[in-house]
């Protein structure tokens, strides 16, 4: 039988990501019953401890797929209506015309028009998205800050709206997903973290995935190096960090194997039913945190390459930690990649991130993982 994974190509591609400047990178690729795992580089720049493919990692906004799935389960069981106004459920938090105009779907696909709260919670990032006018010291100021979710939501609600509810392009905003956490708590009577853990993480049988309650990553893990566009030089370790600043919008800890298992089950209709999965893949145009206009569904986004099959999944970033998990629409080919540095691109005179060899090396790894090998289609 012809092997569909080109392991030599994947080994070379992951090594090239490390050579391009990522301290440590690890990944898992699945094609049918075949699995490749790889790792290159170090988990700790001081000791030279190597990264391994089984390490636990902060996966950032990949969390949003988990949270969306938990909300959509409540749609399936009749507790939530997808196109109902959020004001029906959270009338005190989102009252009046805004509560009547913003629907649950708009929160899920980032077309609510609500602003991102983070620049208002982290004062040194207030100028975002004008990156050249931001400074990174709020990261240190808030390393152990325990934020209140409702207060963060209120910052997003008080900020000038990006646009009218339902307008496109929408704005990718963590405010939307913290509101969905409040929705979960309202309709289930349980903490959002408990609901997501019980109904999504445990339902998928994920042994190394959790929504953390303290600043540490338990188990084998890497240090996480944040550069903030070259303003932190050398990059600083933020692996110990209180993630209440983003909660179940982006705080998940997982492994590349668990991520592939989760998306495989999701796309097989095992987490939500296939009709709801079809809803998840209905996209709207949204401006990403990088300022690009992307297609975004309900906690999912597609990756399209000319002449190639579409993959679905999510990317994620936390301070120092990056990840991407994507699966072919039929679920047979999957890849999850994790890196232990973020925002490595320095800014040009106009404040735009400059190209970096890491960008090309990571893209080559993603392409090899999604489409490489003699059996790829």
């Amino acid at each position: 039988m012809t092997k569909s994974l080109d392991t030599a190509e994947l080994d070379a591609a992951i090594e090239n990501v490390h050579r391009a400047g990522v301290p440590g990178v690890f990944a898992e690729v699945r094609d049918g019953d075949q699995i490749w795992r790889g790792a290159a580089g170090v988990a700790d720049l001081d000791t030279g401890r190597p990264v391994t493919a089984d390490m636990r990692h902060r996966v950032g906004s990949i969390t949003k797929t988990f949270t969306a799935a938990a909300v959509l389960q409540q749609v399936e069981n009749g507790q939530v209506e997808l196109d109902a106004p959020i004001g029906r459920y959270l009338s005190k938090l989102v009252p009046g015309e805004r509560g009547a105009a913003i629907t649950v779907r708009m929160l899920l696909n980032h077309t609510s028009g609500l602003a991102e709260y983070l620049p208002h919670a982290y004062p040194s990032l207030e100028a975002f998205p004008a990156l050249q006018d931001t400074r990174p010291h709020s990261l240190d100021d808030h390393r152990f800050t325990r934020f209140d979710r409702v207060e963060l939501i209120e910052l997003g609600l008080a900020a000038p709206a990006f646009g009218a509810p339902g307008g496109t392009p929408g704005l990718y905003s963590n405010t939307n997903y913290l509101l969905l956490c409040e929705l979960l708590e309202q309709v289930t009577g349980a903490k959002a973290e408990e609901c997501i853990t019980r109904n999504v993480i445990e339902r998928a049988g994920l042994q190394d995935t959790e929504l953390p309650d303290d600043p540490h990553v338990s188990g084998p893990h890497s240090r996480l190096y944040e550069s903030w566009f070259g303003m932190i030089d050398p990059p600083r370790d933020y692996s110990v960090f209180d993630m209440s600043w983003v909660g179940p919008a982006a705080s998940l800890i997982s492994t590349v194997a668990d991520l592939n298992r989760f998306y495989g089950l999701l796309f097989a209709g095992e987490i939500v039913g296939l009709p709801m999965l079809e809803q998840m893949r209905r996209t709207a145009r949204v401006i990403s945190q990088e300022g690009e206009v992307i297609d975004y569904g309900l906690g999912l986004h597609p990756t399209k390459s000319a002449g190639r099959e579409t993959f679905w999944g999510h990317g994620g970033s936390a301070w120092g930690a990056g990840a991407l998990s994507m699966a072919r629409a039929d679920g047979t080919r999957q890849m999850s990649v994790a890196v232990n540095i973020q925002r490595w691109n320095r800014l040009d005179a106009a404040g735009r991130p400059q190209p970096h060899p890491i960008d090309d090396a990571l893209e080559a790894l993603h392409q090899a993982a999604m489409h490489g090998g003699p059996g790829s289609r």
Side-chain angles (χ1 to χ4, degrees):
M1 185 182 77
T2 301
K3 287 187 177 265
S4 56
L5 290 182
D6 188 332
T7 58
E9 178 187 27
L10 290 165
D11 288 340
I14 200 167
E15 187 63 40
N16 285 339
V17 174
H18 171 55
R19 288 200 188 107
V22 171
V25 52
F26 47 104
E28 181 190 86
V29 182
R30 300 183 181 188
D31 196 317
D33 295 332
Q34 297 185 44
I35 300 175
W36 169 89
R37 296 187 182 98
V42 298
D44 189 325
L45 287 168
D46 293 333
T47 67
R49 174 171 57 95
V51 289
T52 58
D54 61 349
M55 282 183 161
R56 303 178 85 235
H57 193 69
R58 298 197 192 278
V59 300
S61 283
I62 291 173
T63 313
K64 289 182 172 64
T65 310
F66 288 70
T67 301
V71 171
L72 293 171
Q73 288 172 346
Q74 298 305 314
V75 175
E76 286 181 319
N77 67 25
Q79 296 301 304
V80 173
E81 287 188 30
L82 190 53
D83 292 303
I86 192 60
R88 176 187 298 180
Y89 308 102
L90 302 174
S91 58
K92 292 183 180 179
L93 196 52
V94 195
E97 292 183 9
R98 178 179 261 179
I102 294 172
T103 66
V104 174
R105 185 190 298 272
M106 292 173 195
L107 297 175
L108 285 160
N109 69 11
H110 296 293
T111 60
S112 71
L114 294 176
E116 169 63 56
Y117 63 79
L118 182 59
H120 306 283
Y122 279 46
S124 72
L125 306 185
E126 186 177 4
F128 186 86
L131 298 175
Q132 70 273 26
D133 296 326
T134 64
R135 295 295 180 268
H137 59 257
S138 286
L139 278 64
D140 294 298
D141 295 342
H142 290 307
R143 187 187 286 266
F144 296 107
T145 300
R146 176 61 61 153
F147 284 99
D148 179 82
R149 184 193 302 154
V150 170
E151 290 178 0
L152 292 174
I153 291 169
E154 288 173 343
L155 288 174
L157 292 171
F162 173 76
T168 55
L171 178 71
Y172 186 97
S173 169
N174 285 301
T175 307
N176 293 318
Y177 272 72
L178 291 196
L179 275 167
L180 291 168
C181 293
E182 291 297 306
L183 171 64
L184 276 176
E185 297 194 356
Q186 179 68 29
V187 301
T188 68
K191 288 186 177 179
E193 291 86 349
E194 294 173 359
C195 180
I196 297 164
T197 299
R198 180 178 62 250
N199 296 337
V200 181
I201 295 172
E202 293 178 357
R203 181 170 179 169
L206 308 182
Q207 299 298 310
D208 292 302
T209 299
E210 65 173 331
L211 291 163
D213 193 38
D214 68 64
H216 297 85
V217 181
S218 62
H221 65 279
S222 173
R223 294 185 180 274
L224 304 175
Y225 298 101
E226 179 62 48
S227 176
W228 195 258
F229 307 101
M231 297 181 204
I232 304 175
D233 190 14
R236 193 171 304 141
D237 170 27
Y238 288 103
S239 54
V240 178
F241 209 96
D242 190 303
M243 295 298 290
S244 61
W245 65 273
V246 75
S251 66
L252 198 73
I253 293 168
S254 191
T255 63
V256 289
D258 267 9
L259 291 178
N260 280 341
R261 176 176 173 81
F262 166 69
Y263 280 106
L265 291 169
L266 178 69
F267 296 142
E270 299 293 328
I271 308 299
V272 299
L274 293 176
M276 196 58 67
L277 184 62
E278 186 177 337
Q279 292 287 332
M280 293 183 80
R281 288 178 172 148
R282 288 179 54 184
T283 62
R285 302 294 275 168
V286 170
I287 298 176
S288 72
Q289 288 183 322
E290 293 74 34
E292 301 172 357
V293 179
I294 63 170
D295 293 318
Y296 196 92
L298 308 184
L300 289 174
H301 62 78
T303 293
K304 301 174 183 176
S305 302
R308 306 279 198 175
E309 284 197 293
T310 298
F311 277 61
W312 290 86
H314 215 292
S317 175
W319 306 132
L324 179 68
S325 190
M326 304 298 290
R328 197 159 56 200
D330 62 9
T332 57
R333 179 99 173 206
Q334 296 178 265
M335 71 104 180
S336 292
V337 178
V339 296
N340 63 0
I341 192 170
Q342 283 294 274
R343 285 160 284 273
W344 51 78
N345 306 81
R346 292 177 179 268
L347 304 178
D348 63 19
R352 296 182 298 255
Q354 299 180 62
H356 191 288
I358 291 174
D359 303 323
D360 291 336
L362 262 180
E363 178 60 22
L365 173 59
H366 296 158
Q367 291 298 316
M370 288 189 285
H371 305 295
S376 62
R377 294 183 289 278

